[in-house]
Amino acid sequence: MKNVFRLLLVLAVFTCFTTSTKASHIAAADVYYEYLSPLNYRVHLILYRDCGGVNLSGTTFMTAIDSSCSQTSVSFTVDTTGTNDPLNGTAQHGICPNLVSANPCQNPPSQFDVYQYWHYAADVTLPYACSDWRFRWTSCCRNPNQTGPTSSTCVFALLNNTVRPNNSTILTAVPIPYICVNQPFQYLNSPVDPDLDSVVFAATTAGNNQSPFSCTPYALAAYNAPLTPQNPV
C-alpha cells in the first residue's frame, strides 16, 4: 500500500516509575493481514497482556466491516493454535534481566510491569471488494496504567481491495519501552511491508472509543495541556 498512514490505536508507553496492576489486562494490540487469493486474507491479531491481569483465552472474536459499500459485517474467530508462533505465551519486557525472575509472569516483579505476548490468526473470505474494509478487534478491558479517557480497546487495519492484491505493513518492534521521566525518547515501530511499498507514519489525535465493542464511529480525544497529539507523553 503506497503512502500508507498506519495508525497504532493502542500503544503502551511506560515511565521508569510504573506501578503494577491487578485488574484490566490489555496493554497493547495490533492487527495486520496477508493476501492469500482474491477476497481471501489471513488476519493476525497481536495482544500484550499485563501479567498482573486476567488470563487470555486461546480464541477471540473479530469482525470485518465496510463503511461505504453494503456496510456488511463479517464475524470470525481467531486463535493461537494455527499461528505456530514460538513466542506465544512468552513474557515480554524492557527490563534488565537481573531485575526479573526466570518466570516473570508467574512471579512478576513488584516495581516493574511485565507483559505476555499472544498471536492470533484466522483465514477470512470477504464477500466483495470495497475501498474501506476494516479488520477490527475490540475489548472492554484496557490496562489502567495507560493514560486516556476510556478503558476500552479498539484496534483495526484498513484494506482497499478494489485496486490490486495487497498485504498490510507489519510492526515488528515490541511496543513496551520503558521511558525515563523528562528525558527525550524516540520510538519506532520498526515497520516491514511485504510488498515493499512506501510507509509513512503521522502523529494524529487519538480516538476516544465511547462505546466499548462498537469501535466506530468514535470521537477524538481531548488532551490536557501541555500534552498534544505530537507530544502525547
Side-chain angles (χ1 to χ4, degrees), residues 154-231:
C154 168
V155 62
F156 58 83
L158 294 172
L159 167 66
N160 178 359
N161 60 346
T162 64
V163 179
R164 62 177 176 86
N166 191 46
N167 299 277
S168 65
T169 303
I170 303 171
L171 305 180
T172 61
V174 177
I176 50 173
Y178 277 79
I179 303 171
C180 293
V181 174
N182 297 324
Q183 295 296 319
F185 184 83
Q186 292 183 339
Y187 177 78
L188 179 64
N189 287 321
S190 300
V192 174
D193 192 288
D195 302 321
L196 301 181
D197 291 333
S198 58
V199 180
V200 176
F201 283 86
T204 186
T205 303
N208 180 10
N209 187 24
Q210 300 287 350
S211 301
F213 304 112
S214 67
C215 203
T216 53
Y218 53 81
L220 296 180
Y223 290 78
N224 295 325
L227 302 181
T228 68
Q230 290 71 37
N231 184 33

Side-chain angles (χ1 to χ4, degrees), residues 9 16 34 41 43 61 73 80 93 106 115 126-127 158 192 227:
L9 294 179
C16 288
E34 301 174 68
Y41 297 85
V43 180
F61 294 102
S73 179
T80 59
H93 57 80
Q106 287 73 30
Y115 302 89
L126 299 177
L158 294 172
V192 174
L227 302 181

Side-chain angles (χ1 to χ4, degrees), residues 12-19 92-96 100 109 111-115 145 174-181 185 187:
V13 179
F14 307 96
T15 71
C16 288
F17 305 99
T18 57
T19 58
Q92 303 289 322
H93 57 80
I95 312 169
C96 295
V100 296
Q111 187 179 1
F112 303 102
D113 291 316
V114 178
Y115 302 89
N145 280 356
V174 177
I176 50 173
Y178 277 79
I179 303 171
C180 293
V181 174
F185 184 83
Y187 177 78

Side-chain angles (χ1 to χ4, degrees), residues 27-28 30 36 50 68 78 87 104 118 155 161 185 213 229:
D30 188 33
L36 301 178
D50 190 318
S68 64
V78 291
L87 293 180
W118 288 104
V155 62
N161 60 346
F185 184 83
F213 304 112

Side-chain angles (χ1 to χ4, degrees), residues 53-107:
V54 300
N55 290 324
L56 295 177
S57 67
T59 62
T60 188
F61 294 102
M62 294 185 65
T63 56
I65 188 169
D66 77 89
S67 300
S68 64
C69 296
S70 298
Q71 297 184 338
T72 297
S73 179
V74 179
S75 299
F76 56 98
T77 300
V78 291
D79 61 55
T80 59
T81 57
T83 61
N84 296 317
D85 192 332
L87 293 180
N88 259 343
T90 60
Q92 303 289 322
H93 57 80
I95 312 169
C96 295
N98 63 310
L99 296 178
V100 296
S101 65
N103 297 296
C105 263
Q106 287 73 30
N107 301 290

